[in-house]
Amino acid sequence: SFNPAVVISDLRMPRVDGVQVLRELAADPATSGVPVVVFSASFVDPGTRAVLDGMPNIRGRLDKMARLQRVRETLRSAGEAN
């Protein structure tokens, strides 16, 4: 079986709702403990932000303006949480 150290997911995907993917990851016992870093190139509305804030496996959020150093720090931190 595949056991990722961290999942990186976009919120805006062509055929799938990113928030629904995150809910499914959180609901599945096999993936509920895997830390998730959310990446979004677009604006995240306050309602979506509130949903993300309520998900315990979300360990970080990055946007398209994030500098490489911040990306590294967020991924390192998320991986250490597992």
Side-chain angles (χ1 to χ4, degrees):
S1 85
F2 181 67
N3 297 312
V6 64
V7 171
I8 303 169
S9 180
D10 197 344
L11 293 178
R12 312 269 188 254
M13 295 182 267
R15 292 179 287 273
V16 180
D17 175 14
V19 174
Q20 184 59 35
V21 169
L22 298 175
R23 285 185 177 127
E24 290 175 18
L25 287 170
D28 185 337
T31 56
S32 63
V34 177
V36 176
V37 174
V38 175
F39 177 82
S40 185
S42 58
F43 173 76
V44 178
D45 65 82
T48 300
R49 192 172 301 128
V51 169
L52 296 175
D53 288 343
M55 294 181 168
N57 58 334
I58 303 294
R59 299 293 199 276
R61 288 193 305 246
L62 297 168
D63 61 29
K64 67 180 178 180
M65 300 306 289
R67 301 276 184 220
L68 183 56
Q69 182 62 29
R70 180 160 177 250
V71 171
R72 286 182 181 143
E73 290 169 1
T74 300
L75 293 176
R76 185 177 301 117
S77 174
E80 290 171 357
N82 195 8

